[in-house]
């Protein structure tokens, strides 16, 4: 504060600063000084909480200078570190990595497209095996679907396909495991709705009627939420769910409830 006062006083004497400007600057200086004094305890507390073990040797030396009251020397040492330029270089490196990542993503996208084409070819092969019939061919289809599903569990379509095959083969517990994995990895609302319907069917086949009923109700609410402004789509996509719910009630010996659903 004293240094600033002396500098402005010299400027005033040299007529480089009017009396009015001098008084304004002096008033602001005193205000800033009092504000800094009030905040001093907070800054001392912050500095005292630095984890010195995480700092570089150079910055530890700077903190040591601050603790000794050698603030100007500490600031000069910080200036020598060119931290702003360092940050700019680091951000540029991040940008370069992002560009590289974009290239990798493009390559990955191309590979995904190739993988999808291969998957479709596998599906066609399995269709032929299914048409050929026989227990050996059924085993080949199952093994094929299993390999594809576990090759990448984020490939939800393949997981669902394998789950449906297992359900058809009455391997309900394993099918349930597959759809739960698919549900965790799915990011698409309509896909999640389809998965929930498969789960409803599995719970029904397992005799877990309460779980099935609860999930059917949730699925219908979920469907209404997805297509809240498109009632015709609710009617189209909700048909399978409502039929499943009606079947559940009939299985439980509740024909009146089934009739309500069909209505």
């Amino acid at each position: 504060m004293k240094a600033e006062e002396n500098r402005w006083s010299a400027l005033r004497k040299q007529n480089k600063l009017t009396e009015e400007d001098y008084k304004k600057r002096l008033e602001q200086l005193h205000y800033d000084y009092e504000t800094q004094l009030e905040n001093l305890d907070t800054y001392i507390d912050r500095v005292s909480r630095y984890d010195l073990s995480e700092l570089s040797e150079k910055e530890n030396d700077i903190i040591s200078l601050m603790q000794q009251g050698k603030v100007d020397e500490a600031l000069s040492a910080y200036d020598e570190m060119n931290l702003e330029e360092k940050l700019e270089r680091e951000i540029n490196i991040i940008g370069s990595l992002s560009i590289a990542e974009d290239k990798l993503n493009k390559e990955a996208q191309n590979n995904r497209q190739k993988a999808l084409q291969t998957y479709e070819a596998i599906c066609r092969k399995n269709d032929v095996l299914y048409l050929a019939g026989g227990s050996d061919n059924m085993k080949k289809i199952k093994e094929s679907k299993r390999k594809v599903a576990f090759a990448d569990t984020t490939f939800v379509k393949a997981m669902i396909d394998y789950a449906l095959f297992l359900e058809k083969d009455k391997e309900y517990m394993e099918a349930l495991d597959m759809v739960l994995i698919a549900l965790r990895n799915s990011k698409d609302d309509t896909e999640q709705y389809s998965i929930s319907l498969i789960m409803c069917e599995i719970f029904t086949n397992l005799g877990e009627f309460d779980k099935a009923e609860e999930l059917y109700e949730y699925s219908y609410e979920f469907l209404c939420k997805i297509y809240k402004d498109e009632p015709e789509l609710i009617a189209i996509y909700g048909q399978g769910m409502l039929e499943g719910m009606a079947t559940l009630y009939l299985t439980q010996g509740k024909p009146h409830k089934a009739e309500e659903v069909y209505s």
Side-chain angles (χ1 to χ4, degrees):
M1 187 179 72
K2 286 296 179 184
E4 285 296 295
E5 282 180 347
N6 292 337
R7 186 165 68 86
W8 290 338
S9 179
L11 288 172
R12 185 185 60 170
K13 288 175 182 178
Q14 295 169 17
N15 293 322
K16 292 181 180 179
L17 199 65
T18 65
E19 187 68 25
E20 185 179 355
D21 283 342
Y22 172 73
K23 286 181 179 178
K24 280 182 180 179
R25 292 192 181 192
L26 205 61
E27 193 175 303
Q28 184 64 44
L29 177 65
H30 286 187
Y31 173 78
D32 291 343
Y33 178 71
E34 292 300 324
T35 302
Q36 282 184 283
L37 280 180
E38 288 174 9
N39 293 335
L40 190 59
D41 286 343
T42 302
Y43 282 96
I44 290 170
D45 184 58
R46 280 172 57 178
V47 172
S48 70
R49 292 176 186 274
Y50 290 162
D51 186 350
L52 302 181
S53 66
E54 294 185 356
L55 304 182
S56 66
E57 185 179 345
K58 194 166 189 177
E59 198 169 1
N60 263 305
D61 291 340
I62 294 173
I63 299 301
S64 179
L65 289 170
M66 289 175 64
Q67 290 170 339
Q68 295 170 48
K70 299 177 181 179
V71 180
D72 289 340
E73 290 182 40
L75 290 173
S76 178
Y78 265 129
D79 286 342
E80 288 175 10
M81 290 181 72
N82 297 316
L83 293 173
E84 287 78 14
E85 289 82 355
K86 183 173 182 288
L87 178 64
E88 188 176 2
R89 286 196 303 272
E90 290 168 349
I91 288 173
N92 287 337
I93 290 170
I94 292 170
S96 299
L97 289 173
S98 295
I99 292 168
E101 187 178 349
D102 287 341
K103 288 180 180 177
L104 288 172
N105 284 338
K106 189 175 181 180
E107 188 176 342
Q109 186 58 43
N110 289 334
N111 286 337
R112 282 192 206 98
Q113 188 60 38
K114 288 177 182 176
L116 183 60
Q117 290 170 352
T118 304
Y119 170 72
E120 289 169 352
I122 290 169
C123 289
R124 290 191 290 272
K125 180 202 74 173
N126 286 334
D127 287 343
V128 175
L129 284 170
Y130 195 85
L131 288 171
S135 59
D136 287 341
N137 286 336
M138 293 303 107
K139 287 177 184 177
K140 287 178 182 178
I141 292 170
K142 182 179 180 181
E143 186 57 24
S144 172
K145 289 181 182 292
R146 188 180 187 283
K147 281 183 179 178
V148 171
F150 283 103
D152 180 4
T153 55
T154 63
F155 189 14
V156 176
K157 186 178 179 182
M159 296 296 292
I160 293 172
D161 187 35
Y162 183 44
L164 287 171
F165 185 86
L166 289 168
E167 185 191 4
K168 192 174 182 181
D169 214 22
K170 297 184 179 180
E171 295 184 39
Y172 301 123
M173 291 306 298
E174 193 176 350
L176 183 60
D177 289 340
M178 295 304 103
V179 291
L180 287 172
I181 295 170
L183 188 62
R184 282 198 300 271
N185 290 327
S186 177
K187 302 292 187 293
D188 181 77
D189 286 342
T190 53
E191 205 173 53
Q192 289 172 9
Y193 171 69
S194 298
I195 293 168
S196 68
L197 287 188
I198 298 169
M199 289 176 68
C200 289
E201 291 170 6
I202 293 171
F203 281 133
T204 301
N205 287 318
L206 286 170
E208 305 251 14
F209 301 131
D210 290 341
K211 284 184 181 179
E213 184 175 349
E214 184 179 346
L215 193 54
Y216 270 126
E217 289 172 357
Y218 168 80
S219 299
Y220 190 71
E221 289 172 7
F222 188 60
L223 182 70
C224 292
K225 185 179 178 182
I226 298 171
Y227 301 111
K228 59 183 178 181
D229 299 322
E230 299 170 286
E232 67 278 9
L233 291 181
I234 295 174
I236 293 168
Y237 291 117
Q239 184 175 336
M241 187 279 301
L242 291 171
E243 285 178 352
M245 186 181 285
T247 302
L248 172 65
Y249 286 136
L250 287 171
T251 304
Q252 289 178 282
K254 299 176 180 177
H256 296 299
K257 278 200 166 188
E259 186 178 356
E260 287 173 11
V261 174
Y262 279 127
S263 297

